[in-house]
Amino acid sequence: MGLFGHLLRLKTSKAYEKLVTEIISQPLGMTDTAIHLTPQQMQCLAPGHSADGMLTSKWDFEVMLARAFRSTSEDLLKFLQANLCKANTAMAAIFARSRSQYFEENETFTMRLAWLILTLPNRQVLYWHNGGSGDYTSFIGFDKSEQTEVAILSNYGDTAKDDFSVDEIGITTLI
């Protein structure tokens, strides 16, 4: 997704953050989703913690900006609600396209443009994605047929060290 964001910037001559803000954040009312936080947003950012409880510094990115966005659970739930929308709108079409199949997949676990898809034995289909940078981790997911969603933000954890506990909590909540 970082490369995709870079290509979009080159194609449109607009900064990736500006594109995401114009196309997704503003229309959905996601006022606390950004790469560059305001001073007020910085005050609300919880400090990250390592596995041994020590405070860590946040990561800032100059490239691979898809990983650089920070958000709130309220904004992420707005994003998930838009993904669940059944209306025939341009935004709904964009979200449906992000779930379209572009790659070969197996029966249980697949990946679409930005979604990991888990099909359970009972045929329940979960769309989800996670994030992690430094000692922050996140999970968003939804079940379109059940119209359920979950967003989890944590200022503790490290996906680089195989800590996927936030994913496990999110998937278990959706099931």
Side-chain angles (χ1 to χ4, degrees):
M1 293 309 292
L3 177 59
F4 180 66
H6 179 69
L7 293 173
L8 283 174
R9 185 183 64 78
L10 292 175
K11 177 77 174 165
T12 64
S13 298
K14 288 185 178 180
Y16 183 61
E17 180 178 24
K18 185 170 179 60
L19 285 169
V20 170
T21 299
E22 288 176 359
I23 296 169
I24 298 171
S25 299
Q26 282 179 343
L28 296 180
M30 297 170 57
T31 57
D32 285 316
T33 299
I35 292 174
H36 299 95
L37 301 180
T38 66
Q40 182 180 1
Q41 291 167 328
M42 285 297 295
Q43 286 182 332
C44 294
L45 181 65
H49 290 80
S50 65
D52 59 1
M54 300 299 295
L55 288 176
T56 60
S57 60
K58 65 181 180 54
W59 290 5
D60 290 311
F61 295 88
E62 294 301 320
V63 295
M64 301 295 281
L65 292 177
R67 293 188 68 181
F69 275 92
R70 294 180 178 93
S71 192
T72 62
S73 55
E74 182 179 353
D75 274 8
L76 292 174
L77 289 171
K78 289 176 184 178
F79 178 78
L80 290 168
Q81 288 168 3
N83 272 275
L84 291 173
C85 181
K86 294 181 179 182
N88 188 13
T89 64
M91 184 70 75
I94 290 169
F95 288 132
R97 192 167 182 185
S98 75
R99 296 186 304 271
S100 297
Q101 180 178 344
Y102 293 91
F103 310 102
E104 188 176 326
E105 51 191 51
N106 67 42
E107 288 182 20
T108 306
F109 183 79
T110 62
M111 185 164 186
R112 302 290 165 91
L113 281 180
W115 292 107
L116 301 162
I117 303 168
L118 179 61
T119 304
L120 301 172
N122 67 358
R123 307 306 295 158
Q124 182 180 12
V125 178
L126 307 178
Y127 296 87
W128 63 282
H129 199 88
N130 61 7
S133 63
D135 294 309
Y136 293 89
T137 57
S138 61
F139 173 95
I140 59 171
F142 64 94
D143 178 335
K144 194 147 178 71
S145 66
E146 295 294 322
Q147 293 287 292
T148 56
E149 62 199 45
V150 64
I152 302 170
L153 300 173
S154 174
N155 64 333
Y156 167 83
D158 190 347
T159 54
K161 294 181 181 171
D162 293 330
D163 178 2
F164 296 102
S165 55
V166 169
D167 298 354
E168 292 170 16
I169 294 167
I171 289 170
T172 302
T173 302
L174 285 170
I175 294 173

